[in-house]
């Protein structure tokens, strides 16, 4: 090993889902919204003056911060905006998890948490979900340096009721508790109203799922002004101009059209509930998802075999080759037409598998 290699920070990186190319594929692997952004986004994009690109964007992201604050009934000084919720959560790790005590997050959870903890050299412990993949609030009632968990959880889709979320916060008022609500719009009650009661609570959401704007990279956090001020101090010590101009302008338009937002959510939720029925009929079992995906395991055919068969047909779902998860597929909810193509192939493939096993 070369001498300088000893000074390289080594981590096991997060592995994002495949981004396959092509016109004739069904992409159900990265929990994107199958519907386009709000019509106002398209209009604003067409009207955007490209001459503005030669100037730096507003480092305070004032317009988008104010629009989000107004939408959620918060103060502008209670909103932090970043380049996707990943950026927001990374800033939260850097800002709040510095006590030297281990932070807590579930053993089956968003796998980026471990990456950030390792990257920033933050000790951590991972309380196990129960046998049905649910978070046990009592596991978080112990000394720690901070708490973070997704709700609904990823990749399981399981929702923790608001009273259970509050139970975790109540037992951790000496540290910052981060609730990662990337999927909350698809079911359940947000913890946002609890930010009025608990100064140590930070709620993180994103435009990537329910607002159909994964390609624009917009995430945000809402919490007490002291938390937001501390996060901005870290942001301005790292990169002042994190949010690009198109994201700011188009993000504002996405929030304005609440009617379209609700209509799209309703379509996805209805498709998800129909998908649960169809998957059960095909022999799958899964936790009851309140997200825009279903985390499913088949009663007879291994998940990896189904994953490979689907991939050969240009149907992409997510497979996790890791303990506790390696016999499950995470299936994003697409349009009704996309889901019907998925079910048609699964029905044919599983029937063929059953016939071959009977021979």
């Amino acid at each position: 090993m070369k001498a300088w290699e000893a000074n390289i920070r080594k981590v096991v990186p997060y592995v994002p889902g495949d981004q396959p190319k092509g016109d004739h594929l069904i992409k159900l692997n990265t929990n994107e919204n199958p519907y386009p952004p709000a019509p106002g986004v398209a209009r604003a994009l067409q009207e955007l003056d490209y001459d503005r690109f030669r100037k730096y964007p507003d480092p305070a992201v004032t317009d988008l911060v104010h629009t989000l604050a107004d939408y959620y009934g918060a103060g502008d000084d209670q909103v932090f905006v970043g380049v996707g919720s990943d950026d927001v959560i990374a800033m939260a790790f850097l800002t709040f998890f510095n006590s030297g005590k281990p932070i807590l997050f579930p053993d089956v959870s968003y796998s980026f948490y471990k990456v950030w903890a390792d990257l920033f050299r933050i000790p951590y412990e991972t309380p196990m979900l129960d046998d049905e993949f649910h978070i046990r609030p009592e596991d978080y009632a112990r000394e720690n340096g901070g708490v973070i968990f997704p709700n609904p959880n990823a990749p399981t889709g399981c929702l923790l009721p608001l009273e259970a979320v509050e139970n975790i916060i109540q037992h951790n008022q000496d540290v910052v508790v981060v609730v990662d609500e990337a999927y909350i719009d698809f079911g359940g009650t947000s913890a946002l109203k609890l930010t009025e009661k608990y100064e140590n609570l930070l709620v993180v959401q994103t435009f990537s799922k329910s607002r159909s704007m994964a390609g624009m990279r917009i995430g945000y956090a809402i919490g007490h002004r002291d938390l937001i001020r501390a996060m901005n101090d870290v942001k301005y010590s790292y990169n002042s101009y994190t949010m690009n101009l198109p994201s700011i302008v188009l993000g504002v338009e996405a929030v304005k059209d609440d009617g379209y937002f609700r209509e799209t959510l309703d379509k996805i939720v209805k498709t998800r509930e129909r998908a649960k029925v169809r998957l059960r009929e095909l022999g799958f079992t899964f936790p009851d998802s309140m997200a825009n995906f279903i985390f499913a395991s088949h009663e007879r055919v291994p998940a990896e075999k189904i994953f490979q068969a689907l991939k050969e047909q240009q149907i992409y779902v997510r497979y996790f080759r890791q303990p506790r998860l390696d016999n499950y597929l995470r299936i994003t909810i697409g349009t009704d037409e996309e889901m019907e193509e998925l079910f048609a192939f699964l029905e044919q493939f599983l029937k063929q598998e059953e016939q071959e096993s009977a021979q």
Side-chain angles (χ1 to χ4, degrees):
M1 185 175 73
K2 302 177 185 68
W4 53 264
E5 289 183 296
N7 298 319
I8 295 175
R9 181 166 297 194
K10 297 179 177 65
V11 292
V12 178
Y14 171 75
V15 179
D18 291 339
Q19 297 294 332
K21 308 295 183 185
D23 298 326
H24 303 289
L25 58 84
I26 297 176
K27 191 172 183 298
L28 307 175
N29 66 328
T30 48
N31 298 342
E32 294 140 327
N33 197 308
Y35 302 105
V41 173
R43 288 195 297 270
L45 181 62
Q46 292 172 346
E47 296 168 2
L48 191 59
D49 181 5
Y50 79 95
D51 184 59
R52 295 173 66 187
F53 292 170
R54 65 186 175 83
K55 297 181 180 180
Y56 285 111
D58 173 15
V61 199
T62 306
D63 290 346
L64 183 53
V65 164
H66 179 72
T67 300
L68 287 166
D70 185 62
Y71 183 82
Y72 289 109
D76 287 17
D77 57 357
Q78 293 178 270
V79 179
F80 177 91
V81 172
V83 185
S85 59
D86 287 346
D87 180 46
V88 175
I89 297 170
M91 289 296 107
F93 269 63
L94 273 173
T95 307
F96 304 122
F97 298 157
N98 297 289
S99 71
K101 298 176 183 177
I103 64 171
L104 304 179
F105 50 84
D107 70 320
V108 176
S109 186
Y110 186 28
S111 56
F112 225 142
Y113 298 159
K114 289 183 179 179
V115 176
W116 285 315
D118 288 337
L119 180 63
F120 302 140
R121 297 177 179 172
I122 301 167
Y124 63 89
E125 295 176 1
T126 55
M128 288 186 65
L129 301 180
D130 67 18
D131 292 339
E132 296 181 343
F133 291 121
H134 293 124
I135 291 172
R136 295 178 290 204
E138 61 269 23
D139 290 342
Y140 296 81
R142 65 189 199 227
E143 188 175 21
N144 63 73
V147 175
I148 181 168
F149 58 91
N151 195 40
N153 198 6
T156 66
C158 296
L159 177 76
L160 194 63
L162 187 60
E163 57 269 22
V165 173
E166 185 168 13
N167 180 284
I168 292 175
I169 301 166
Q170 287 174 336
H171 285 89
N172 291 281
Q173 295 188 54
D174 293 332
V175 298
V176 174
V177 177
V178 181
V179 182
D180 180 358
E181 292 188 340
Y183 301 100
I184 195 65
D185 291 327
F186 300 104
T189 303
S190 172
L192 279 170
K193 66 179 182 180
L194 296 179
T195 59
E196 301 171 7
K197 186 176 180 180
Y198 299 97
E199 294 182 356
N200 64 317
L201 172 62
L202 188 76
V203 177
V204 179
Q205 295 191 11
T206 179
F207 282 48
S208 296
K209 316 300 181 183
S210 55
R211 295 192 182 275
S212 306
M213 295 184 71
M216 295 309 299
R217 312 307 302 127
I218 306 171
Y220 56 99
I222 296 177
H224 190 272
R225 58 183 56 86
D226 290 346
L227 298 182
I228 302 304
R229 184 184 305 114
M231 289 184 71
N232 275 314
D233 286 346
V234 171
K235 167 192 167 180
Y236 288 124
S237 301
Y238 181 73
N239 183 356
S240 298
Y241 300 103
T242 55
M243 179 66 65
N244 65 60
L245 174 64
S247 291
I248 297 172
V249 173
L250 303 184
V252 167
E253 293 303 319
V255 177
K256 284 182 180 179
D257 197 338
D258 197 53
Y260 179 85
F261 172 62
R262 300 293 169 187
E263 178 186 340
T264 302
L265 285 178
D266 184 60
K267 287 195 289 188
I268 292 171
V269 169
K270 286 179 178 176
T271 302
R272 180 191 69 202
E273 295 308 305
R274 287 193 292 269
K276 291 177 183 178
V277 174
R278 293 293 301 275
L279 287 170
R280 289 191 188 100
E281 292 172 348
L282 290 168
F284 287 91
T285 58
F286 43 85
D288 187 29
S289 175
M290 296 297 282
N292 68 334
F293 58 84
I294 297 173
F295 192 58
S297 177
H298 196 264
E299 58 190 6
R300 295 183 308 277
V301 184
E304 186 170 15
K305 189 170 187 178
I306 300 173
F307 168 75
Q308 293 296 344
L310 287 168
K311 191 173 182 179
E312 290 173 6
Q313 295 297 312
Q314 294 285 74
I315 301 174
Y316 291 83
V317 298
R318 192 76 188 268
Y319 174 68
F320 300 91
R321 192 174 285 103
Q322 61 190 72
R324 295 193 78 185
L325 309 183
D326 59 3
N327 201 32
Y328 285 85
L329 300 171
R330 193 191 67 189
I331 304 169
T332 302
I333 302 302
T335 64
D336 286 336
E337 293 76 16
E338 288 174 328
M339 299 307 288
E340 285 303 319
E341 287 195 48
L342 169 72
F343 299 140
F345 174 76
L346 286 175
E347 184 174 6
Q348 179 185 20
F349 173 74
L350 294 171
K351 185 180 295 183
Q352 180 180 332
E353 287 293 306
E354 187 174 340
Q355 291 171 349
E356 290 180 1
S357 64
Q359 291 176 355

